[in-house]
Amino acid sequence: MRELLWLVPALPLTGFLALAAGAGRLPRPAVGVVGVGSVGLSLLTALAIAADFAGPAAEGAVFRQPLWQWLAVGDVAVRFGLALDALSLTMILVVTGVGFLVHLYSLGFLAGQEGLNRFFAYMNLFVAAMLILVLADGLLLLYVGWEGVGLCSFLLIGFRYRDPATVRAARKAFVVTRVGDAGLVIGLILLVVSLGTLDIAALTEAAGTRWAAGDALPVAAAALLLAGAVGKSAQLPLQVWLPDAMAGPTPVSALIHAATMVTAGVYLIARMHGLFALAPPVQTAVAVIGAVTLLLAATGALAQTDIKRILAYSTISQIGYMVMALGVGAYGAAIFHLTTHAWFKALLFLAAGVVIRRLGDEHDVRGMGGLYRHLPGAFVAFLVGAASLAALPLITAGGWSKELILTQVWAAGGGGPFLWLAGTLGAFLTALYIFRAVFLVFFGPERTVPGGATPATMLAPLAVLAVLAVVGGAFPVPAFLAGSLPVPATGRAAGWLFGAIAFGLPLLGIYVAYEIYLRRRTAAAGRREAPVPARLFGLWQRGWGFDALYTAVAVRPVGWFVRVNRGDAADALATGATAAGTAGHRWLSRTQTGRLRWYAGALAGGTALVLAVAVLA
Amino acid sequence: MILVALLLLLLLGGAGAWAAERAGPDWPGRVALAVLAAAAALVLALWIGADAAALPGRGGWIAEARAPWIAPLGISFHLAMDGLSLVMVALTVGLGIAAVLASRIDIHRRTGFFHFTVLWTLAGAVGVFLAMDLFLFFVFWEAMLVPMYFVIAVWGHERRVPAAIKFVVYTQGSGLLLLAATLALAAAHHDRTGIASFAYADLLATDLSPAAGLWIMLGFFAAFAVKLPVVPLHTWLPDAHTEAPTGGSVILAGILLKTGGYGLVRFVWPLFPDAAAAFAPVAMALGVAGILYGAVLAFAQTDVKRLVAYTSVAHLGFVLLGVFAGTAKALQGAVFQMVAHGLSTGALFIVAGLLQARLGTRDMGRMGGLWPAMPRLGALTLFFAVAALGLPGLGNFVGEFLVLWGTLERSIPFAAVAAMGLVTAVLYALALVQRTFHGEAPHGDAPAGPPPRDAGPGATVALAVMALAVAWLGLFPQTVLDAAAPALEALLQAADGTVTAAAGGPGR
Amino acid sequence: MTPMPVMEGLLLAAALFVLGLLGVLVRRNILFMLMSLEIMLNAAGLAFVVAGARWGAPDGQAMFLIILAVAAAEVAVGLALALQLFRRTGTVDADAVAGLKG
């Protein structure tokens, strides 16, 4: 079965080609069948391969399927090929699984809207690119997938291209991630110039033999790869594109900006763990970036009023957890959290999508309230997702994965406890902001009454994801991943206090949210909503001012330069020459007065001059 | 002989096309297509017949034709083709076909004369790529210019005459420097060896003093720098490209600019290795400046054709960077970039021409929200815009990647700054798509008249073929790389290898 | 013969020449310009005669005869041009005909 590996990305790619070629000619049902079916078939293939290969993968086996040699210059050759191990098997199951559910959901979400063909074409291309990314056995093929998902993200954010704000958001996403990608490309080239290969396995081995931990080259290369990861995964300082990316349709936000594309950076660092192990300063940076991002984004989520933006900031924050885990070497925990996050975040987005649709495209939580009666399905789904996000222990998958991260972060050497503190504070804030959303949207006084009904194609994926978000913690994912990722050394032990904190914090967060957003809100309508000073709240809402910073530092100068130099200063060479010629003409014309006496005088003067020169010189 | 046949085919075919106008306004185009198809067959035969691996380092040509011309001065009529010129000639013929097809969009009067000038321009370009005698090279260099002037000045848009004059002045001025440098080189050769010769192989061995070498090299460089173009000598390009008719723009951007790059590869390095090595940092800086400056200025334009014109400046900055980085990979990347850029930018000019023909304007402020009316054209524009910004899997990425790779082997700072060009490329590519096909229709415009027609079947097929070519180049670049590799290796060897040895790489 | 005062003669010639030149430059009336030109020519002739006398060669006198002939021819043409000028423009002001300006 494992020989069918190439089918996994090829099926959605074929779907894309079919939809692109048949644009406008296929009837609507056929579009749905092709769009959803290709990903569904890919999922089945992936499951079949998993059934075949899961055992060997857990013991560290790698199945390689070379494709073709891309180019060879001089003595270096770059080849395209696929590699399957525990890590990539996990990833393709997540991508095809969540992808299929979101595709199915989209059928209902986009019912009655135009552009279905375009939507599924882009979504299929995205799934194909993401699968290529995680299956690539060489960094260059990975980069092909990397840019491919970036392109699809741009196309899908800008799906409703008539809205100028959407167009701007799409451009912002592409440009910001491209800044990271530029660093990634230089890192790639640095690696191939130094080690002579881009094949990940060969590269890691060569790096291990040729470089010692802390050498300048691995540090530089790892830092550049980190730049790419930071851009794609919306971590500090390139996180500003993700909240605006919510301008895309909700299924897009669920699939691309929660479950899969934004986790590509996490995957990259996990895959290149061998290189990162040789660059301790970069690893520290990774951990710190993760910790700071998770706190920053959690405060941001607390202050948003658009339900999708709350979830967007939440995504940034949760990826911060994964990145922090990567920084301390807890690779298995990070990927485990990646999978549980894919389930519960997609669940949250899809449930929010139901709410948005039924309320006639209302995004603002201040326009919602008391919806648990009218939208029971969405309510349960959202509640389950919120519980998993808040990491309620034992009963949710998110609880298991976050607890694993926090335990291993605490156990890490160096500043482990500080990171743990950040993570714990973040956990409290997480419970607080997500249950703020729950209470504001589903409880309290009703403001807008939903209309219509939710189709089964939208409810079924919610059900599946809800189940996964609860029981998914039982999957032995970290143990499975030990087949391809290193397990961190055991360090500090975590005592009974840990269990207590893990148990109590989410509940405390829920209680505080209940207090502020339900009890006091219903009781005193005029009370200030924010539990903190208004200026701080405003700063959180604006994402700590990063947007303003980048606008001032990058956008405005470029805009100024563009305005000032539209006529192209270099043209001065040509216009200057023309101006000089014309001026010279005008000046010399003055000697042609047309007057006889003037010419006579000039003759006389010239003669005198020549004579003087001849006689004196 | 096959090379002479190729040239004669284009020249006589041009005359035939002019005469064919008597049969009807469509006939010159058909004759031109037939001529170019025959030329393509010849090139294909050459490609298949060329066993690239069997070529020895120097002196092994795929095809050659030689005849004495002005014997007392040592000028001969010497044409020769190796892998590099094969790739360039193939590009010329391919884009020539695209240009003739594209000319159906906006050439409706005096079609015979138009196809005559187009074919003679192509003949001039082919001659440039094949000439192995420096005087002959100069003759063909100037021969490319005159028909192109007519193309711009007769069939161009509103400001065609000033644009054409600017084009001529810039190119002629630099051509004068080229002539002076050529004569100086031949004179120096004559001084040292007593033989009067303009032959490439003879002049390769000329022993020049460092100062003389530098000045003569700069003379050559000036001509190629104006043509490539190199910032700040590039300002003729936006005007010429914008005002030229669609077919003319395709030829200008796709072929004529590449003659500058070809000249740098073929002449500057091998003839003046020391001077070029000394000049390399300046040239690389100019290349990087071009990449960034061209991109930012492209983003600033409101005229869609001018935007595409500036992207040429940005893309060919990579070529300059690659040529002067001096490593094998960078050189391969520069050549590949020339091919990929010719295809993708040629296609973008065709798109711009279609937009102008359908909408009657090039001003993007009056476009917007065109996708529903023109989905096919929108999708193709998106494809080529994405290719232009260097998406991996498409042709332009291969060229840029190889150039960056080769440059990093030589100098990390240059490569790092050039990589910023990947970000600036996104700005103009997205601006191109978003200002025309995305966004809302222009303000206050009640739908005046019927919505514009989408691209017709002919244009769609032509653009689709070019898209397939770009995708093929991106996924299977080895075909072109293999063809050009032996020739480029030979050129690097001819540059004494002193430069590649001097390139220190990190960690090596 | 009494020795020819060469210096004074040449000085006189120079003075006459300058006076003639000034006359050409200052006078606007074509006829007066022609007269001033005559003075310049005669001054040149005087210089030749003085030089010829200084060196005892007849060439000075010969040159003077040539100058006389040239002056006559020149006056003829000049007066014809002046007549044409008057006929076409109704004035003899040299500054009035600046048609070749620019």
Side-chain angles (χ1 to χ4, degrees):
Chain A
M1 285 325 295
R2 62 191 78 167
E3 287 79 22
L4 297 177
L5 187 60
W6 64 275
L7 268 183
V8 176
L11 282 166
L13 189 62
T14 319
F16 159 71
L17 289 170
L19 288 169
R25 280 184 286 240
L26 291 173
R28 223 180 148 86
V31 168
V33 166
V34 171
V36 181
S38 63
V39 182
L41 283 174
S42 185
L43 172 64
L44 287 174
T45 319
L47 286 169
I49 294 174
D52 177 31
F53 193 65
E59 276 141 40
V62 178
F63 171 66
R64 306 192 66 145
Q65 192 171 51
L67 293 175
W68 74 89
Q69 177 169 290
W70 184 56
L71 67 81
V73 182
D75 47 354
V76 184
V78 179
R79 286 179 199 86
F80 283 171
L82 304 176
L84 187 67
D85 65 354
L87 176 59
S88 44
L89 185 58
T90 313
M91 293 301 296
I92 62 172
L93 286 173
V94 168
V95 172
T96 51
V98 178
F100 172 68
L101 291 171
V102 172
H103 275 72
L104 190 61
Y105 176 95
S106 310
L107 278 179
F109 189 81
L110 289 174
Q113 292 186 24
E114 49 153 14
L116 194 70
N117 193 321
R118 203 160 43 94
F119 183 82
F120 276 120
Y122 293 155
M123 289 285 269
N124 274 11
L125 183 62
F126 167 79
V127 174
M130 189 74 205
L131 288 168
I132 290 175
L133 196 161
V134 298
L135 283 173
D137 75 344
L139 281 176
L140 201 87
L141 187 58
L142 189 150
Y143 184 66
V144 172
W146 186 274
E147 288 285 346
V149 297
L151 173 68
C152 296
S153 164
F154 161 75
L155 290 172
L156 285 165
I157 295 173
F159 178 67
R160 297 197 193 102
Y161 51 77
R162 285 213 183 78
D163 178 18
T166 309
V167 165
R168 272 198 305 274
R171 180 165 64 217
K172 182 176 179 180
F174 208 141
V175 173
V176 173
T177 49
R178 234 341 164 76
V179 173
D181 296 345
L184 180 60
V185 168
I186 292 294
L188 241 60
I189 297 178
L190 195 62
L191 284 171
V192 76
V193 166
S194 321
L195 299 172
T197 176
L198 280 173
D199 178 84
I200 294 180
L203 198 148
T204 316
E205 202 194 312
T209 46
R210 244 184 263 196
W211 292 333
D215 276 355
L217 273 172
V219 170
L224 288 165
L225 292 184
L226 177 63
V230 155
K232 205 59 122 191
S233 293
Q235 299 293 287
L236 225 65
L238 293 174
Q239 83 282 13
V240 294
W241 65 270
L242 191 54
D244 288 352
M246 297 298 111
T250 307
V252 170
S253 310
L255 182 60
I256 299 183
H257 304 124
T260 45
M261 183 183 100
V262 290
T263 55
V266 177
Y267 169 78
L268 177 68
I269 298 179
R271 177 60 81 193
M272 297 302 297
H273 60 86
L275 177 66
F276 278 85
L278 294 170
V282 180
Q283 277 186 311
T284 317
V286 169
V288 170
I289 288 177
V292 177
T293 309
L294 75 88
L295 281 177
L296 216 118
T299 55
L302 196 52
Q304 299 302 314
T305 51
D306 179 325
I307 189 172
K308 285 181 72 175
R309 280 179 88 95
I310 296 176
L311 295 177
Y313 274 98
S314 168
T315 305
I316 300 175
S317 179
Q318 293 301 302
I319 298 178
Y321 272 99
M322 298 176 216
V323 169
M324 185 173 72
L326 291 172
V328 300
Y331 296 106
I335 302 293
F336 184 30
H337 196 59
L338 193 158
T339 55
T340 59
H341 175 263
W343 298 327
F344 62 68
K345 193 46 71 63
L347 176 64
L348 282 167
F349 266 111
L350 296 184
V354 171
V355 172
I356 292 173
R357 263 324 239 18
R358 294 285 298 273
L359 289 180
D361 257 355
E362 174 66 74
H363 284 233
D364 196 328
V365 294
R366 295 169 298 190
M368 307 177 188
L371 290 175
Y372 73 92
R373 284 177 229 109
H374 299 279
L375 302 173
F379 170 59
V380 170
F382 200 92
L383 189 63
V384 170
S388 205
L389 172 58
L392 290 180
L394 299 178
I395 55 169
T396 61
W400 286 106
S401 59
K402 190 177 283 183
E403 199 232 325
L404 184 61
I405 290 182
L406 288 175
T407 320
Q408 293 194 330
V409 162
W410 170 264
F418 291 107
L419 298 172
W420 174 88
L421 196 62
T424 313
L425 183 58
F428 170 71
L429 288 173
T430 307
L432 183 57
Y433 69 65
I434 195 63
F435 274 89
R436 164 180 177 259
V438 168
F439 292 130
L440 286 178
V441 171
F442 292 104
F443 291 94
E446 272 184 28
R447 292 178 207 273
T448 322
V449 181
T454 314
T457 46
M458 287 168 77
L459 286 175
L462 287 178
V464 174
L465 286 170
V467 170
L468 281 172
V470 171
V471 305
F475 292 154
V477 173
F480 178 65
L481 287 169
S484 63
L485 292 172
V487 180
T490 45
R492 271 174 282 267
W496 63 268
L497 189 60
F498 269 71
I501 295 178
F503 194 86
L505 261 186
L507 293 176
L508 181 65
I510 298 175
Y511 175 68
V512 174
Y514 168 73
E515 272 296 309
I516 302 177
Y517 296 108
L518 197 54
R519 272 224 335 214
R520 293 191 204 167
R521 194 158 162 252
T522 42
R527 266 192 92 113
R528 192 181 65 207
E529 197 206 283
V532 293
R535 282 183 63 183
L536 187 62
F537 199 71
L539 181 68
W540 288 352
Q541 188 170 42
R542 289 189 308 276
W544 291 81
F546 271 90
D547 268 319
L549 176 70
Y550 290 145
T551 312
V553 163
V555 175
R556 286 233 182 85
V558 172
W560 167 83
F561 180 76
V562 154
R563 256 196 326 274
V564 155
N565 194 33
R566 183 163 301 196
D568 198 349
D571 212 15
L573 193 67
T575 47
T578 340
T582 330
H585 164 80
R586 248 181 289 118
W587 267 93
L588 287 174
S589 300
R590 291 215 203 137
T591 59
Q592 305 293 308
T593 56
R595 292 196 310 219
L596 186 58
R597 297 187 297 143
W598 175 267
Y599 293 152
L603 265 173
T607 316
L609 197 63
V610 169
L611 280 175
V613 167
V615 165
L616 297 173
Chain B
M1 272 319 291
I2 191 170
L3 297 176
V4 179
L6 184 62
L7 269 175
L8 278 176
L9 180 63
L10 289 170
L11 292 170
L12 294 173
W18 197 352
E21 192 174 8
R22 268 181 250 144
D26 291 332
W27 279 100
R30 293 189 192 135
V31 170
L33 270 179
V35 166
L36 285 168
L42 279 175
V43 173
L44 196 62
L46 283 166
W47 195 306
I48 297 174
D51 193 348
L55 286 176
R58 258 221 269 170
W61 303 110
I62 298 175
E64 193 178 6
R66 192 178 197 144
W69 187 10
I70 308 175
L73 291 172
I75 300 174
S76 59
F77 186 89
H78 185 193
L79 300 174
M81 174 183 272
D82 65 359
L84 174 63
S85 19
L86 175 64
V87 169
M88 292 285 113
V89 171
L91 181 70
T92 307
V93 173
L95 280 175
I97 296 177
V100 169
L101 285 173
S103 62
R104 287 196 195 156
I105 301 173
D106 46 7
I107 307 292
H108 302 297
R109 56 187 178 86
R110 301 179 70 178
T111 53
F113 186 44
F114 177 79
H115 286 100
F116 169 75
T117 52
V118 165
L119 284 170
W120 275 53
T121 311
L122 292 175
V126 169
V128 162
F129 290 131
L130 295 176
M132 279 300 139
D133 177 287
L134 256 60
F135 190 80
L136 184 66
F137 176 82
F138 180 75
V139 169
F140 278 118
W141 184 265
E142 295 293 313
M144 280 192 304
L145 174 60
V146 177
M148 202 64 225
Y149 166 80
F150 280 109
V151 170
I152 302 176
V154 176
W155 293 277
H157 305 305
E158 319 80 45
R159 290 186 60 248
R160 58 186 179 275
V161 175
I165 293 179
K166 198 169 176 181
F167 166 65
V168 169
V169 169
Y170 263 89
T171 317
Q172 282 286 58
S174 59
L176 180 64
L177 290 172
L178 176 63
L179 179 63
T182 309
L183 291 173
L185 181 62
H189 177 80
H190 177 68
D191 276 343
R192 299 236 186 335
T193 61
I195 307 172
S197 168
F198 277 82
Y200 177 67
D202 292 338
L203 292 175
L204 270 180
T206 315
D207 188 22
L208 291 168
S209 71
L214 184 66
W215 283 111
I216 300 180
M217 184 217 72
L218 283 176
F220 274 81
F221 181 78
F224 303 136
V226 166
K227 206 67 165 177
L228 188 63
V230 174
V231 168
L233 298 171
H234 65 281
T235 48
W236 63 270
L237 186 145
D239 290 324
H241 278 75
T242 312
E243 303 299 332
T246 309
S249 297
V250 172
I251 296 180
L252 255 179
I255 304 167
L256 259 54
L257 299 186
K258 312 305 181 296
T259 59
Y262 170 83
L264 287 173
V265 175
R266 175 73 75 192
F267 294 110
V268 171
W269 266 119
L271 290 173
F272 317 102
D274 300 317
F279 189 65
V282 176
M284 294 210 292
L286 285 175
V288 172
I291 297 172
L292 298 175
Y293 189 72
V296 173
L297 246 70
F299 174 64
Q301 301 306 313
T302 50
D303 178 328
V304 61
K305 260 185 120 168
R306 232 178 144 81
L307 191 154
V308 181
Y310 271 106
T311 69
S312 292
V313 178
H315 283 136
L316 293 168
F318 272 103
V319 172
L320 182 64
L321 180 65
V323 169
F324 275 90
T327 61
K329 293 187 190 59
L331 209 53
Q332 286 270 41
V335 171
F336 200 94
Q337 173 81 334
M338 287 202 277
V339 175
H341 167 264
L343 282 170
S344 62
T345 307
L348 280 174
F349 272 117
I350 297 179
V351 164
L354 280 169
L355 280 173
Q356 182 173 16
R358 300 278 191 271
L359 300 169
T361 176
R362 293 195 307 270
D363 183 2
M364 290 192 285
R366 292 172 48 197
M367 301 185 198
L370 288 173
W371 193 295
M374 308 165 89
R376 275 201 300 275
L377 192 60
L380 285 163
T381 312
L382 182 65
F383 179 86
F384 289 112
V386 153
L389 66 83
L391 193 81
L394 299 176
N396 298 61
F397 171 72
V398 179
E400 291 175 3
F401 185 72
L402 283 173
V403 166
L404 285 175
W405 188 346
T407 308
L408 197 120
E409 285 175 352
R410 180 106 144 85
S411 154
I412 299 187
F414 274 125
V417 181
M420 281 294 112
L422 293 175
V423 180
T424 52
V426 171
L427 288 176
Y428 64 68
L430 295 188
L432 175 62
V433 172
Q434 289 185 325
R435 286 179 202 164
T436 51
F437 289 98
H438 289 178
E440 37 192 22
H443 312 285
D445 240 21
R453 281 182 306 122
D454 199 354
T460 311
V461 167
L463 287 173
V465 169
M466 291 172 89
L468 277 171
V470 169
W472 173 269
L473 283 176
L475 293 172
F476 306 101
Q478 205 57 36
T479 358
V480 171
L481 289 173
D482 278 339
L488 292 174
E489 262 170 48
L491 286 169
L492 275 176
Q493 276 170 26
D496 286 332
T498 48
V499 176
T500 40
R508 278 239 169 117
Chain C
M1 302 222 329
T2 52
M4 173 73 73
V6 175
M7 196 42 64
E8 287 82 346
L10 286 177
L11 270 172
L12 176 60
L16 278 175
F17 186 86
V18 170
L19 282 172
L21 181 63
L22 279 173
V24 168
L25 292 178
V26 167
R27 303 303 299 241
R28 284 169 73 169
N29 192 319
I30 280 274
L31 292 168
F32 283 112
M33 286 170 82
L34 282 169
M35 282 193 253
S36 306
L37 270 175
E38 279 301 306
I39 297 177
M40 286 167 77
L41 279 164
N42 280 298
L46 175 62
F48 270 112
V49 165
V50 166
R54 161 75 181 80
W55 293 105
D59 304 298
Q61 313 269 359
M63 277 307 300
F64 186 71
L65 286 174
I66 294 173
I67 287 175
L68 280 183
V70 167
E74 175 251 329
V75 161
V77 175
L79 283 174
L81 283 174
L83 261 176
Q84 279 294 331
L85 176 67
F86 180 72
R87 285 215 189 120
R88 284 179 196 280
T89 63
T91 172
V92 283
D93 183 350
D95 281 350
V97 277
L100 281 180
K101 169 184 159 89

